[in-house]
Amino acid sequence: MSTAAETTGGDIEPWEEVTPDAARRLLVAAVEAFAERGYHATTTRDIAGRAGMSPAALYIHYKTKEELLHRISRIGHDRAVAILRAAAQGEGSAAERLADAVSSFVRWHAGRRTTARVVQYELDALGPEARDEILTLRRQCDAAVRGIIDDGVASGEFDVPDVKGTTLAVLSLCIDVARWFNVNGPRTPDEVGALYADLVLRMVGAEPTGAAQK
């Protein structure tokens, strides 16, 4: 499935923040190539060819292949932070907010699995400055989930002896969905999100919420 047609609840991934159209086409082509071949095995000629453009045209919009990866990674991580912060700052109990965070994050990794594989697994290909920028965003994701778990421990909803380790485990579970999810498999992104929300609540010793059982 093309990156442009990946779905979460039927929505199309627009990459609307990327302009002009030629730059967007190149970015979508890069996502597909990086996911299929890996960053290091992909050439700028591969990317341009997928976009139906000449290699010279790529350099009008992106100075280097790494700049493309950085843009993809930045957009993806900005989205990840937004998803987790929205859940963390939402109304409801800690259990409800954790279920919302997990189900939403999992749905994104399943529905945008091609993009998510590049965003989550090609970090080491970035140079030091770009990598540090993305690591800062990852720490913000960690802080959002850790804050919910801290709230649950404080309120007595969760039984978590190691909040830091549990936070890492929760995020790892969600991210790994991008690696194995199959659009032709038996579960939809929504169903996987609900399953994982239930599993995570059991992990922290909480009762499943309505959101986790949908």
Side-chain angles (χ1 to χ4, degrees):
M1 178 182 289
S2 167
T3 305
E6 289 184 322
T7 61
T8 298
D11 295 333
I12 294 175
E13 174 65 277
W15 296 100
E16 60 186 10
E17 56 270 86
V18 181
T19 58
D21 179 68
R24 185 183 304 112
R25 285 164 52 201
L26 286 163
L27 185 139
V28 169
V31 169
E32 293 171 349
F34 294 158
E36 180 181 316
R37 305 187 59 178
Y39 175 81
H40 292 293
T42 298
T43 66
T44 54
R45 184 176 294 276
D46 294 331
I47 296 167
R50 285 173 183 261
M53 301 166 69
S54 70
L58 185 148
Y59 295 108
I60 295 173
H61 302 284
Y62 301 98
K63 295 178 182 178
T64 63
K65 184 175 71 167
E66 185 189 338
E67 183 179 334
L68 260 169
L69 178 61
H70 179 221
R71 189 77 191 278
I72 294 163
S73 193
R74 178 61 198 247
I75 292 171
H77 279 87
D78 281 343
R79 180 58 180 153
V81 171
I83 289 170
L84 295 174
R85 279 185 174 169
Q89 297 169 2
E91 297 181 355
S93 66
E96 290 169 335
R97 288 183 286 129
L98 185 58
D100 185 23
V102 170
S103 61
S104 299
F105 206 40
V106 165
R107 284 199 306 270
W108 187 81
H109 281 83
R112 308 281 189 253
R113 60 204 167 280
T114 304
T115 299
R117 282 200 299 272
V118 176
V119 168
Q120 299 292 3
Y121 295 115
E122 294 288 356
L123 177 63
D124 288 342
L126 292 172
E129 185 175 345
R131 189 172 186 274
D132 286 347
E133 178 186 309
I134 300 305
L135 287 174
T136 296
L137 295 173
R138 289 197 174 201
R139 285 191 288 270
Q140 292 174 17
C141 291
D142 182 277
V145 174
R146 190 171 64 249
I148 300 173
I149 297 176
D150 278 332
D151 288 347
V153 171
S155 68
E157 294 176 69
F158 301 161
D159 179 12
V160 179
D162 182 349
V163 171
K164 182 178 179 180
T166 300
T167 299
L168 176 61
V170 170
L171 288 170
S172 296
L173 280 172
C174 296
I175 289 168
D176 193 57
V177 170
R179 183 184 58 78
W180 63 260
F181 184 80
N182 185 344
V183 68
N184 297 315
R187 297 180 189 269
T188 66
D190 285 344
E191 290 169 340
V192 177
L195 171 65
Y196 273 51
D198 178 84
L199 291 172
V200 168
L201 289 180
R202 295 176 189 277
M203 180 191 299
V204 299
E207 291 294 326
T209 67
Q213 295 173 329
K214 288 181 181 178

